[in-house]
Amino acid sequence: MKKITLLALVAVLFFACGKNKSKLITGDWKIADMAAPMPPNLPDSLKTQYEAMLKSQVEKIKASSTFNYKEDGTYAYNFAGQAGGGTWKLNDGATELTLTEGGKADVSKVIELTENKLVIESTQPNGAGNLTLTLAK
């Protein structure tokens, strides 16, 4: 009987933690950092130029992008001048964030989630690696 009670308590705590993590996402976020992989097969002679261009673009995106996640499970964004929104859902383990916009769902891996920091990783199309996005309140 004690084992069943202990297992029930652990299960309740596990699911309660996941639900509380959802509350951490709500609010206004800005991009603090963004990391994208180097394109495959990029010649060495262009890598330094690519990195400088990417750094410049990231700074522009950081200055002009915002995300707002609401308690009702909806979100809105302005990403480099492009506005949109949809619904969001954090899985029970707080390891995946699903954003659905226009009927298309994108699932990102949650690397870190605290009151003021959200780090997510998304797979890029065509096997181009992962994009890591760090958001801050």
Side-chain angles (χ1 to χ4, degrees):
M1 183 67 173
K2 285 185 181 181
K3 285 184 181 180
I4 293 173
T5 304
L6 180 59
L7 287 174
L9 178 61
V10 169
V12 167
L13 289 174
F14 176 77
F15 289 111
C17 289
K19 300 235 185 274
N20 288 339
K21 288 275 190 174
S22 288
K23 289 185 179 188
L24 293 176
I25 288 182
T26 59
D28 295 319
W29 297 85
K30 290 188 172 247
I31 296 176
D33 196 18
M34 200 165 116
M38 185 79 61
N41 304 321
L42 186 68
D44 288 341
S45 61
L46 296 177
K47 287 183 179 179
T48 301
Q49 186 179 7
Y50 174 82
E51 288 174 345
M53 179 194 70
L54 182 63
K55 183 177 180 180
S56 173
Q57 287 179 338
V58 166
E59 291 305 314
K60 288 177 187 175
I61 290 169
K62 284 169 52 175
S64 65
S65 300
T66 59
F67 299 85
N68 177 265
Y69 296 96
K70 299 176 184 165
E71 287 185 30
D72 67 0
T74 61
Y75 74 98
Y77 67 86
N78 183 333
F79 187 77
Q82 182 178 355
T87 59
W88 68 270
K89 181 172 175 37
L90 186 66
N91 72 344
D92 287 336
T95 59
E96 291 182 344
L97 176 62
T98 302
L99 301 178
T100 303
E101 181 177 6
K104 183 178 183 281
D106 289 311
V107 180
S108 297
K109 181 179 178 183
V110 176
I111 305 298
E112 182 178 351
L113 175 58
T114 66
E115 187 175 335
N116 295 309
K117 185 177 182 182
L118 171 60
V119 181
I120 56 175
E121 185 177 81
S122 300
T123 303
Q124 296 301 291
N126 304 324
N130 293 329
L131 171 71
T132 303
L133 193 60
T134 301
L135 302 177
K137 283 190 178 175

